[in-house]
Amino acid sequence: MTIFALKGSLEEITPAQLGEQTCSAVFITDSAHAEETLRTANITYEGVISLRDVVFCKIESQPFCLAGTLSIPKLLDIRGSRHRIQFFIDNKNMVIIDDEEFSLRLVQRIQRSRHNQGESREHFIYNFFSEFMLRDTELLAEHEQKLMELEENVNDGKTDDFLETITPIRKELLILRSYYDEIMDLGRELEEDENGFFEKKQKKYFGTISDRADRLMGRTVHLLEYATQVRDAYQSHVNAQQNKNMEFLTVISTIFFPLTLITGWYGMNFQNMPELKEGYPGVIALSIIVVIVCIIFFKRKKML
């Protein structure tokens, strides 16, 4: 269990020093020590603590606390496993349960990089959420760049492995859209503060969280629409290529059809068939004329 005192800067303290603190504290622990940590923080939670069951980002009001969960996609493996966190907030303290030490690393990054590290629980929550959403704009920019490259390849006729490339991108964007929507709702729930745990003037931080998630979701929706446009362009290219192939086969079939007919006529070998004894110079000449006429016709129609 790691304890940080919230008094302008995040200061790590020991359980023995906790009783001497008059300010709020943030407890970071794992599932094995969750119940013990909740007792130390004087937070009463009526429910089951299980990180394995965390699948959404949400928060709910309990009689004596706010209980929330975070299911955060890993930036290097969005479609794979997630960071799963449970957190509890009362009118003074906050407990974060995380088996991967992801939350502890976030707090340490806040200590290193932020001047105002958390003079209040509201500010700390804002910093905490902002820290794990810090690189999301960069991630969406990378997806946009990939889509632009795919569009250029389609325009250049380079469509090899197109579906294998765009399908994972669309899946990741769909996951991120749902994730940002959940964060946005969670921020609004914090801002509503049904239990009255937060100071009114500090609730602006939760609105900022919702606004940031809303902007990220808006950009994600835009990229999904862009991905649909790129896929439509690819489908149009494939259809045009298929039409060209069918057109070519039609031209070939049209050229060879009269030749097949002539061959059928003169291949019967009846006794009084014209030119049976003298050979087939007329047939050959007629076939050449037919081919030339067909080629001239198709060139004028711009089919060759």
Side-chain angles (χ1 to χ4, degrees):
M1 177 177 61
T2 306
I3 309 173
F4 292 92
L6 297 177
K7 50 180 182 180
S9 61
L10 292 170
E11 296 182 4
E12 186 173 348
I13 60 176
T14 64
Q17 295 173 317
L18 182 63
E20 304 172 3
Q21 301 292 326
T22 58
C23 58
S24 299
V26 175
F27 299 74
I28 300 178
T29 187
D30 54 21
S31 300
H33 303 89
E35 294 183 0
E36 175 188 350
T37 305
L38 286 173
R39 287 194 298 269
T40 304
N42 293 319
I43 295 179
T44 302
Y45 173 61
E46 299 176 354
V48 178
I49 298 174
S50 175
L51 293 180
R52 291 178 300 177
D53 297 331
V54 174
V55 293
F56 301 110
C57 299
K58 63 179 183 178
I59 193 168
E60 60 181 13
S61 297
Q62 292 280 327
F64 306 103
C65 70
L66 290 174
T69 60
L70 293 173
S71 179
I72 305 171
K74 295 183 178 179
L75 296 184
L76 299 179
D77 186 20
I78 295 177
R79 290 175 293 145
S81 58
R82 296 191 173 200
H83 299 293
R84 304 181 188 277
I85 300 170
Q86 281 187 283
F87 62 91
F88 305 91
I89 306 170
D90 67 357
N91 58 351
K92 183 179 180 182
N93 298 321
M94 179 175 181
V95 174
I96 300 174
I97 302 171
D98 183 356
D99 288 339
E100 299 179 351
E101 296 190 348
F102 174 68
S103 300
L104 182 59
R105 294 196 299 271
L106 289 179
V107 174
Q108 291 170 345
R109 277 159 48 182
I110 293 172
Q111 286 181 300
R112 292 193 303 266
S113 61
R114 296 183 182 269
H115 177 68
N116 295 323
Q117 299 172 10
E119 65 274 6
S120 64
R121 285 173 306 142
E122 297 86 353
H123 197 183
F124 170 79
I125 294 170
Y126 165 75
N127 283 339
F128 188 79
F129 276 67
S130 298
E131 198 63 38
F132 68 69
M133 291 194 294
L134 186 63
R135 291 187 55 201
D136 289 42
T137 302
E138 179 183 345
L139 175 67
L140 294 177
E142 291 176 359
H143 280 72
E144 184 175 22
Q145 183 62 35
K146 291 177 183 178
L147 290 173
M148 291 174 64
E149 292 175 358
L150 281 175
E151 185 178 32
E152 291 177 1
N153 290 338
V154 170
N155 292 335
D156 295 339
K158 302 174 183 178
T159 57
D160 295 341
D161 301 327
F162 175 86
L163 293 178
E164 290 80 359
T165 304
I166 197 171
T167 299
I169 295 176
R170 290 191 72 255
K171 288 182 178 179
E172 290 182 2
L173 290 174
L174 288 170
I175 291 171
L176 290 173
R177 183 183 64 179
S178 299
Y179 163 62
Y180 295 137
D181 187 39
E182 294 167 9
I183 293 292
M184 187 170 58
D185 289 340
L186 193 153
R188 289 172 179 168
E189 290 289 335
L190 287 171
E191 193 172 14
E192 289 177 4
D193 187 22
E194 294 182 8
N195 296 59
F197 289 156
F198 306 115
E199 296 183 18
K200 185 175 181 180
K201 63 179 181 180
Q202 297 285 339
K203 294 180 184 179
K204 61 183 180 181
Y205 291 116
F206 304 142
T208 305
I209 293 172
S210 298
D211 292 341
R212 177 172 296 185
D214 188 23
R215 289 193 299 271
L216 290 170
M217 187 177 70
R219 187 168 184 183
T220 304
V221 171
H222 168 72
L223 290 178
L224 280 170
E225 294 173 352
Y226 185 27
T228 301
Q229 294 174 4
V230 174
R231 190 174 59 176
D232 290 344
Y234 163 77
Q235 192 61 48
S236 298
H237 174 80
V238 171
N239 292 338
Q241 191 64 42
Q242 290 177 344
N243 290 338
K244 287 183 180 179
N245 293 338
M246 291 302 297
E247 190 176 271
F248 176 76
L249 292 175
T250 301
V251 170
I252 297 300
S253 299
T254 304
I255 291 176
F256 280 94
F257 175 75
L259 300 180
T260 304
L261 181 61
I262 293 172
T263 302
W265 282 345
Y266 286 93
M268 295 180 185
N269 296 329
F270 291 143
Q271 184 64 35
N272 56 352
M273 176 68 73
E275 302 180 354
L276 182 62
K277 295 180 180 180
E278 291 80 6
Y280 299 101
V283 177
I284 295 172
L286 178 61
S287 299
I288 294 173
I289 292 172
V290 168
V291 171
I292 293 174
V293 169
C294 288
I295 291 174
I296 293 173
F297 174 78
F298 287 121
K299 279 193 173 183
R300 287 183 177 179
K301 295 294 183 179
K302 298 182 179 180
M303 297 176 69
L304 284 177

